[in-house]
């Protein structure tokens, strides 16, 4: 009895000490206008932060945009929130975002590369790079995607060819219920393949299926709760199972892409580029020969750009098309017009 009482009083005082410490930290943690040197602009307003947790308790991490919209009602279109220890300035609303991205494009051009995306791309490629590397890769991708048909008649032919294969798959369900996610992802990936590699894959090709599956899996893993926590506290990385899986998936996909690229390299004809990869290789060769500067057209940038095009283009376009199908099923008279 005495022992139990002793334990209760020890754990009680421990709890009191922890609470006291937290209150002290809370009191000491910055809130309201920040005490910067004179002449510096004050930090945008925001809710009071908790030590270590920041404002995590006020944010619904599954629908972060909703929590941020709520906060903007109180703190205005430019405010500060802390995702754990990471302080973030939020721009809310069309007018504010447009003003930043359009009127001050240079200042707002950089993208925050979170630890998970740094693990995967190491600053290479288009989406998860910044500065000169990003500018060059983006410019090259945009002009080449146009050359190989995106937004032009060239891609119309590729899309119509792929649609024939897709319709065959859907007809196999004989009008019964079916999940359109995988067939549409395969079809979209194939159109990107035709633009990137210069050829499509058969839907039952195990290499193709595995690559699309791994890319889709990674899309989900990168948004999972444990990866969001990892992004805030990167030192927990070695213990996060989803991160190990994500890195492994990405390694396997990169290895497949490298072997596809090696195949294209052996049959490269600079006067007849079959797709994005050929153009990239030709540009790399010509920069190497002219040797004016360290070329950015190296293999790491190529593999990561290819991977970016698939991951940026597949789920986005596939999901948009599935909404189209859903709406057409709901409104058959519109379906008729389409
Ligand atoms: C309905 C379809 C699509 C939607 C809704 C969509 C949406 C977006 C959005 C919102 C961004 C900007 C992301 C940011 O700045 O953080 C973006 C960037 C990008 N998208 Fe798409 N996208 C679609 C299709 C595609 C396709 C088909 C491709 C290529 C095959 C593609 C390639 C890219 C690339 C490379 C970027 C990064 C650009 C840069 O860093 O400058 N997207 N997309």
């Amino acid at each position: 009895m005495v022992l139990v009482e002793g334990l209760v009083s020890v754990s009680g005082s421990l709890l009191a000490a922890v609470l006291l410490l937290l209150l002290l930290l809370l009191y000491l943690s910055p809130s309201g206008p920040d005490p910067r040197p004179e002449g510096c602009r004050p930090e945008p307003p925001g809710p009071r932060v908790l030590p270590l947790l920041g404002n995590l308790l006020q944010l619904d991490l599954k629908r972060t945009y909703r929590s941020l919209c709520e906060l903007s009602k109180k703190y205005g279109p430019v405010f500060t929130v802390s995702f754990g220890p990471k302080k973030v300035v939020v721009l809310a609303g069309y007018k504010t975002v447009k003003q930043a991205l359009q009127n001050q494009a240079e200042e707002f051009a950089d993208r925050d590369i979170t630890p998970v995306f740094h693990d995967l791309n190491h600053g290479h490629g288009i989406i998860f790079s910044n500065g000169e590397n990003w500018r060059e890769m983006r410019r090259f991708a945009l002009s080449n995607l146009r050359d190989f048909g995106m937004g032009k008649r060239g891609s119309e032919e590729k899309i119509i060819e792929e649609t024939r294969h897709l319709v065959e798959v859907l007809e196999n369900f004989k009008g019964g219920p079916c999940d359109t996610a995988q067939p549409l992802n395969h079809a979209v990936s194939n159109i990107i393949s035709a633009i990137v590699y210069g050829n499509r894959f058969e839907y039952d090709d195990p290499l193709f299926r595995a690559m699309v599956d791994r890319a889709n899996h990674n899309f989900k893993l990168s948004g999972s709760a444990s990866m969001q926590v990892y992004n805030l506290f990167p030192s927990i990385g070695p213990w996060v199972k989803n991160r190990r899986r994500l890195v492994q998936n990405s390694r396997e996909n990169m290895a497949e892409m490298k072997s596809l690229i090696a195949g294209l390299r052996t049959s490269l004809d600079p006067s007849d580029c079959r797709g994005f990869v050929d153009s990239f290789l030709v540009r790399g060769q010509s920069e190497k020969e002219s040797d004016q500067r360290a070329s950015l057209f190296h293999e790491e940038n190529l593999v990561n750009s290819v991977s970016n095009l698939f991951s940026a283009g597949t789920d986005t376009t596939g999901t948009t098309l599935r909404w189209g199908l859903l709406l057409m099923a709901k409104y058959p008279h519109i379906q008729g017009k389409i």
Side-chain angles (χ1 to χ4, degrees):
M1 187 67 187
V2 174
L3 185 67
V4 172
E5 266 173 17
L7 277 178
V8 169
S9 76
V10 169
S11 60
S13 23
L14 203 66
L15 191 69
V18 170
L19 276 177
L20 196 70
L21 196 69
L22 272 176
L23 281 174
L24 196 67
L25 281 168
L26 185 63
Y27 181 71
L28 294 176
S29 63
S31 69
D34 82 330
R36 291 175 182 223
E38 230 174 279
C40 270
R41 288 183 193 206
E43 190 174 277
R48 185 181 276 274
V49 295
L50 282 174
L52 206 64
L53 294 177
N55 300 113
L56 282 182
L57 300 182
Q58 287 151 283
L59 301 169
D60 172 1
L61 288 181
K62 283 202 178 132
R63 293 186 183 84
T64 316
Y65 58 94
R66 279 200 194 161
S67 315
L68 296 178
C69 282
E70 279 306 308
L71 287 171
S72 85
K73 284 183 195 154
K74 183 163 180 200
Y75 296 102
V78 182
F79 60 95
T80 313
V81 282
S82 291
F83 286 79
K86 192 172 180 182
K87 202 180 271 182
V88 172
V89 172
V90 180
L91 306 184
Y94 175 75
K95 255 169 95 177
T96 316
V97 172
K98 187 174 172 216
Q99 201 187 350
L101 296 185
Q102 195 164 311
N103 303 356
Q104 294 171 69
E106 270 298 310
E107 289 83 346
F108 285 91
D110 272 10
R111 194 169 276 147
D112 177 39
I113 317 285
T114 52
V116 51
F117 291 124
H118 184 80
D119 290 345
L120 299 186
N121 294 262
H122 300 283
H124 295 121
I126 315 162
I127 307 187
F128 304 110
S129 74
N130 276 322
E132 185 56 17
N133 196 86
W134 168 72
R135 223 179 301 277
E136 278 279 332
M137 293 302 118
R138 181 191 158 92
R139 197 182 299 136
F140 183 83
L142 272 180
S143 76
N144 269 276
L145 292 181
R146 277 199 209 104
D147 289 350
F148 291 106
M150 254 174 92
K152 284 202 206 153
R153 276 208 93 72
S155 66
E156 201 174 310
E157 280 164 25
K158 292 181 182 105
I159 292 167
I160 290 172
E161 193 205 330
E162 199 57 49
T163 309
R164 285 199 198 102
H165 296 284
L166 175 63
V167 168
E168 263 176 41
V169 173
L170 297 179
E171 278 175 352
N172 284 339
F173 290 101
K174 302 197 187 325
C178 62
D179 183 353
T180 53
Q182 200 186 49
L184 276 164
N185 272 344
H186 285 166
V188 173
S189 268
N190 251 344
I191 294 163
I192 299 176
S193 285
I195 292 169
V196 169
Y197 298 120
N199 67 286
R200 68 179 293 281
F201 294 86
E202 293 304 328
Y203 292 148
D204 56 7
D205 181 335
L207 176 115
F208 173 68
R209 293 181 82 90
M211 283 178 77
V212 178
D213 286 350
R214 282 193 289 258
N216 285 341
H217 191 195
N218 271 7
F219 211 81
K220 291 201 182 93
L221 288 176
S222 60
S224 64
S226 61
M227 293 311 286
Q228 295 199 46
V229 176
Y230 164 64
N231 282 335
L232 302 177
F233 306 98
S235 52
I236 64 167
W239 296 279
V240 181
K241 201 169 135 209
N242 279 355
R243 176 176 171 264
R244 289 200 298 273
R245 188 69 243 167
L246 191 98
V247 171
Q248 183 59 25
N249 277 344
S250 165
R251 267 198 204 126
E252 287 170 21
N253 267 10
M254 295 276 182
E256 297 292 5
M257 282 174 202
K258 282 187 181 171
S259 105
L260 289 168
I261 290 169
L264 291 172
R265 201 192 288 274
T266 55
S267 53
L268 186 65
D269 174 1
S271 63
D272 183 20
C273 285
R274 294 157 291 192
F276 175 86
V277 170
D278 280 8
S279 298
F280 197 104
L281 293 171
V282 170
R283 173 76 179 264
Q285 264 179 8
S286 79
E287 288 208 352
K288 216 175 188 177
E289 279 154 22
S290 63
D291 205 25
Q292 285 160 350
R293 56 177 181 149
S295 173
L296 289 170
F297 289 80
H298 49 70
E299 187 163 58
E300 285 311 304
N301 262 335
L302 173 54
V303 180
N304 281 288
S305 295
V306 168
S307 157
N308 287 167
L309 292 175
F310 279 99
S311 46
T314 307
D315 198 71
T316 45
T317 313
T319 306
T320 307
L321 289 171
R322 289 174 70 211
W323 274 105
L325 291 181
L326 181 71
L327 290 167
M328 282 197 290
K330 189 163 183 212
Y331 303 105
H333 63 290
I334 306 281
Q335 189 181 142
K337 284 187 195 166
I338 289 170

